[in-house]
Amino acid sequence: MSWSDRRYDTGGSSLGASDRPLGTWWLIGITVGLQVLIWVGGGGVAGETTRRIYDALALSEAHPYQIWRNITYAFLHGGVSHIFWNMLLLYFTGAIVEPVFGSKRFVLLYLAFAFVGGLGFTFEHLIWPSPLGDALGVGASGAVMGVIVLLGSRFPMQRMLFMFVLPMRCWVFAAVLVGLDLLALSAYRGGDQVAHSVHLMGAFAGFFAGFLWPRLAVRWEAIADERQRKAQRRERERRREDAAEMDRILQKVHENGMDCLSAEERAFLLDQSERLKDNRRV
């Protein structure tokens, strides 16, 4: 199916959103729903119960080996504007990417981007520890950045309508966001309370999935095909050699009888007989 056959193509050169990005909607619904439940039941954004939930589920400088946090942190946010912008970006980009990969694979990629992004938090605080050593990290930004860069690296020259208004090529959109994170990370080194390292690690995961992995897969497939061709050539050569040896032995039997065969020649005939039986069974 060509680009123009799909709903996310508008005018042949621009990408628009599919009308059934179910995985994207589920991710947004679960993230927003859980966040509302936590804030309502936990006494608000800064409530005591909310803080305890975040202490248990957010990325934690003090608990870098509690690996489940690398997923759960992506469903927590630090405020209304934080979750609003993350989910809005997820909607605009996820609704484009998801039809290409399928809902199940898209959700798995999203969670993988979140996980890799969480590693960035750990690495950052190994390099630049916080004063008290108890920093927490929350937000879907790492996973969303992975989706954005996946879109930009897989379909770099396609145009998207950001916010339904601003047309831009996908690679430009991804490159601008990654560039801003690189500048902020080098300038603030975590001092601006934004986990730029999480964004960048998520972006790297998206680049790997969208650009590096397809090329590696093609290369590995080519290597596997070449190995298969070599194996087939070796098999054809073996069969030719076996056929020549069979002709020689049969000629020897014709001239001198079975008693003249050596033990190796008898074993060869037995082996060929067994192979012939196996081929007939197949």
Side-chain angles (χ1 to χ4, degrees):
M1 183 177 289
S2 67
W3 283 104
S4 58
D5 292 328
R6 296 183 181 271
R7 294 182 180 273
Y8 49 76
D9 179 77
T10 57
S13 61
S14 297
L15 293 175
S18 167
D19 58 353
R20 291 182 62 82
L22 298 181
T24 300
W25 280 112
W26 271 105
L27 288 170
I28 292 173
I30 291 172
T31 303
V32 173
L34 286 176
Q35 192 65 81
V36 170
L37 286 175
I38 291 172
W39 285 342
V40 171
V45 176
E48 179 66 20
T49 302
T50 298
R51 185 186 63 79
R52 291 179 180 177
I53 294 173
Y54 279 36
D55 284 343
L57 299 179
L59 292 170
S60 173
E61 181 181 7
H63 303 287
Y65 302 111
Q66 294 180 353
I67 206 69
W68 67 83
R69 295 174 181 267
N70 283 47
I71 296 294
T72 55
Y73 83 99
F75 296 91
L76 306 174
H77 288 80
V80 174
S81 63
H82 190 199
I83 193 171
F84 172 79
W85 288 109
N86 274 341
M87 295 301 99
L88 187 64
L89 285 172
L90 176 58
Y91 168 75
F92 281 112
T93 56
I96 298 171
V97 173
E98 184 181 340
V100 179
F101 290 89
S103 295
K104 182 178 180 180
R105 183 182 294 182
F106 173 75
V107 171
L108 291 175
L109 283 170
Y110 179 88
L111 296 177
F113 297 159
F115 184 89
V116 175
L119 297 178
F121 180 90
T122 301
F123 297 154
E124 177 182 350
H125 286 88
L126 287 174
I127 300 172
W128 300 306
S130 64
L132 299 179
D134 60 352
L136 297 178
V138 296
S141 302
V144 173
M145 277 294 294
V147 175
I148 291 171
V149 175
L150 173 62
L151 174 63
S153 57
R154 189 67 179 270
F155 310 110
M157 302 309 294
Q158 294 294 331
R159 289 187 176 88
M160 61 178 293
L161 294 177
F162 181 60
M163 302 292 188
F164 294 113
V165 176
L166 183 62
M168 64 175 62
R169 295 195 185 277
C170 294
W171 78 266
V172 174
F173 181 52
V176 167
L177 294 184
V178 171
L180 290 174
D181 272 316
L182 285 171
L183 289 174
L185 181 64
S186 62
Y188 298 107
R189 298 185 179 182
D192 60 348
Q193 302 300 310
V194 177
H196 299 289
S197 58
V198 176
H199 301 178
L200 292 172
M201 284 295 287
F204 171 77
F207 181 74
F208 180 85
F211 184 85
L212 296 179
W213 176 253
R215 286 156 179 79
L216 289 174
V218 169
R219 177 59 179 163
W220 289 337
E221 184 177 354
I223 292 174
D225 289 343
E226 179 61 25
R227 288 178 177 174
Q228 184 177 10
R229 286 192 292 270
K230 288 181 178 179
Q232 290 172 346
R233 287 196 295 268
R234 288 194 298 268
E235 179 64 17
R236 288 194 296 268
E237 182 63 25
R238 184 193 63 78
R239 289 182 179 181
R240 284 195 295 268
E241 292 174 354
D242 287 349
E245 179 67 4
M246 178 66 76
D247 290 341
R248 185 191 68 80
I249 293 175
L250 292 178
Q251 182 64 29
K252 184 177 181 180
V253 171
H254 176 72
E255 294 175 354
N256 303 302
M258 287 290 295
D259 294 338
C260 69
L261 296 181
S262 66
E264 291 79 6
E265 290 170 334
R266 292 175 183 273
F268 178 81
L269 287 177
L270 180 61
D271 178 68
Q272 292 299 307
S273 176
E274 292 298 327
R275 289 191 180 189
L276 182 60
K277 291 178 182 178
D278 291 340
N279 290 336
R280 286 177 177 174
R281 292 192 190 103
V282 174

